[in-house]
């Protein structure tokens, strides 16, 4: 049966809030218009080849530790408060400059997740909306997807359905085991909710921005190349979190006058336990 709200008890406000910014500092007015109309901006340049290669090596070291302890290539989730390297990424001023033009001068990063598709991997990410999963309201999260490796159609690039963010919450079903979905929700016949799907093919070091209501997913990695990306989730401080999701936040720019979001300082050393 289709599900229209995963958390009805929270009475979340799930609708798209258009960006109102007549004088952006980093993005162009055309890019902000695209975000409002299509729900995303892609690609944007941020890190040089040398810089992203260092981040890639850092991820490789984290992944080696995770695999040694029995984890998998999707296990590095929410480590921004205990991993200095991830903390440095979410607080990088070049990323904040982009996000600020969409959300305002005060920015909270509440979540991160490496999505790493190994060569020949059969897992996919079914069509879904991020906001459906999260106990946050209102739905104003902007996700930064940073390409750690080159992303192409062949190795399972994230693909979005433009304009689908304008529908608010879209009904979904629980994913079946046969889907081999990394997550747990599936929107059926997703392409009816927007324009033709657009793959985010990016070079390592580039990033994309998308609304938490934009339908997106990705196919299995049929290539012999890995595809890793780091998602970083940002909100303005007026967004509130239930279920203690406010505890693992980083104030990356400005402040939170309400004190709702708990600011975690940069860790002095990495901890994966």
């Amino acid at each position: 049966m289709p599900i229209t709200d995963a958390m009805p008890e929270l009475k979340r406000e799930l609708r798209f809030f258009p960006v109102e910014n007549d004088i952006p500092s980093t993005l162009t007015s055309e890019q902000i218009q695209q975000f409002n109309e299509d729900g995303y901006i892609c690609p944007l340049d941020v890190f040089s080849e040398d810089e992203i290669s260092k981040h890639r090596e850092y991820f490789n070291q984290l992944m080696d530790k995770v695999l040694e302890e029995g984890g998998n290539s999707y296990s590095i989730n929410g480590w921004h408060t205990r991993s200095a390297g991830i903390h440095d990424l979410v607080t990088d001023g070049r990323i904040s400059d982009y996000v600020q033009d969409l959300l305002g001068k005060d920015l909270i990063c509440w979540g991160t997740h490496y999505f790493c598709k190994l060569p020949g991997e059969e897992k996919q990410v079914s069509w879904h909306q991020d906001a459906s999963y999260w106990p946050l309201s209102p739905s104003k999260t902007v996700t930064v997807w940073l390409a750690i490796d080159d992303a192409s159609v062949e190795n399972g690039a994230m693909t979005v359905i433009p304009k689908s963010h304008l529908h608010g919450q879209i009904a979904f079903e629980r994913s079946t085991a046969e889907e081999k979905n990394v997550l747990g929700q599936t929107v059926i016949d997703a392409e009816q909710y927007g324009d033709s799907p657009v793959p985010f093919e990016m070079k390592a070091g580039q990033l994309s921005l998308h609304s938490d209501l934009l339908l997106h997913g990705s196919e299995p990695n049929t290539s012999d190349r890995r595809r890793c990306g780091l998602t970083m989730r940002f909100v303005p401080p007026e967004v509130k979190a239930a279920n203690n999701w406010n505890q693992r936040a980083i104030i990356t720019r400005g402040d939170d006058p309400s004190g709702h979001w708990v600011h975690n300082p940069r860790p002095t050393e990495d901890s994966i336990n």
Side-chain angles (χ1 to χ4, degrees):
M1 290 290 294
I3 301 168
T4 56
D5 191 342
M7 306 173 197
E9 71 281 2
L10 297 183
K11 297 179 172 57
R12 295 173 297 164
E13 188 174 8
L14 300 179
R15 65 181 179 87
F16 179 67
F17 295 84
V19 176
E20 297 180 3
N21 185 352
D22 294 330
I23 48 172
S25 61
T26 306
L27 297 172
T28 66
S29 296
E30 290 75 18
Q31 287 170 324
I32 290 179
Q33 182 179 0
Q34 182 190 5
F35 185 84
N36 284 337
E37 294 179 356
D38 293 333
Y40 71 89
I41 304 169
C42 178
L44 295 168
D45 294 326
V46 58
F47 294 118
S48 68
E49 185 175 339
D50 181 61
E51 287 175 312
I52 200 60
S53 68
K54 293 177 181 177
H55 292 308
R56 186 183 305 111
E57 179 56 32
Y58 179 77
F59 168 75
N60 292 343
Q61 293 172 9
L62 291 180
M63 182 54 58
D64 287 344
K65 294 178 183 178
V66 167
L67 295 177
E68 287 175 4
E69 297 195 357
N72 61 41
S73 62
Y74 299 96
S75 295
I76 306 178
N77 184 5
W79 287 23
H80 49 285
T81 60
R82 53 189 174 127
S83 168
I86 301 175
H87 184 284
D88 291 345
L89 284 172
V90 303
T91 57
D92 190 286
R94 291 166 292 182
I95 294 176
S96 297
D97 286 346
Y98 285 132
V99 179
Q100 178 176 312
D101 278 345
L102 300 180
L103 294 179
K105 63 182 181 64
D106 299 319
L107 300 175
I108 315 293
C109 177
W110 61 260
T112 58
H113 194 175
Y114 282 103
F115 284 85
C116 180
K117 290 190 175 187
L118 300 177
E121 183 176 319
E122 295 182 347
K123 290 181 180 179
Q124 65 172 343
V125 178
S126 300
W127 294 116
H128 69 283
Q129 295 172 295
D130 289 337
S132 182
Y133 287 93
W134 302 333
L136 307 176
S137 184
S139 52
K140 290 186 176 182
T141 297
V142 168
T143 291
V144 173
W145 200 101
L146 174 65
I148 304 300
D149 304 320
D150 291 348
S152 66
V153 171
E154 290 72 25
N155 68 355
M158 182 172 72
T159 300
V160 306
I161 298 181
K163 298 183 172 56
S164 57
H165 65 303
L166 302 175
H167 293 273
Q169 172 74 72
I170 295 172
F172 62 91
E173 296 182 3
R174 300 298 183 190
S175 303
T176 64
E178 290 74 20
E179 289 180 56
K180 299 180 179 178
N181 185 11
V182 174
L183 304 176
Q185 299 179 7
T186 303
V187 172
I188 306 299
D189 297 327
E191 294 182 35
Q192 68 179 299
Y193 295 103
D195 291 347
S196 298
V198 175
F200 281 4
E201 296 194 288
M202 291 188 283
K203 294 294 185 181
Q206 293 183 317
L207 60 78
S208 64
L209 307 169
H210 71 264
S211 161
D212 54 5
L213 287 170
L214 186 71
L215 281 172
H216 61 287
S218 59
E219 294 292 324
N221 182 356
T222 60
S223 76
D224 59 1
R225 296 184 297 110
R226 191 185 72 180
R227 190 231 67 180
C228 179
L230 174 66
T231 59
M232 297 169 267
R233 323 287 192 176
F234 294 88
V235 292
E238 64 262 29
V239 173
K240 298 299 183 281
N243 303 339
N244 291 320
W245 278 42
N246 63 326
Q247 297 296 305
R248 302 188 65 184
I250 298 170
I251 299 175
T252 61
R253 180 161 288 180
D255 58 18
D256 173 17
S258 72
H260 172 76
W261 295 96
V262 176
H263 174 66
N264 289 270
R266 186 182 189 273
T268 57
E269 60 183 20
D270 288 348
S271 171
I272 68 170
N273 299 316

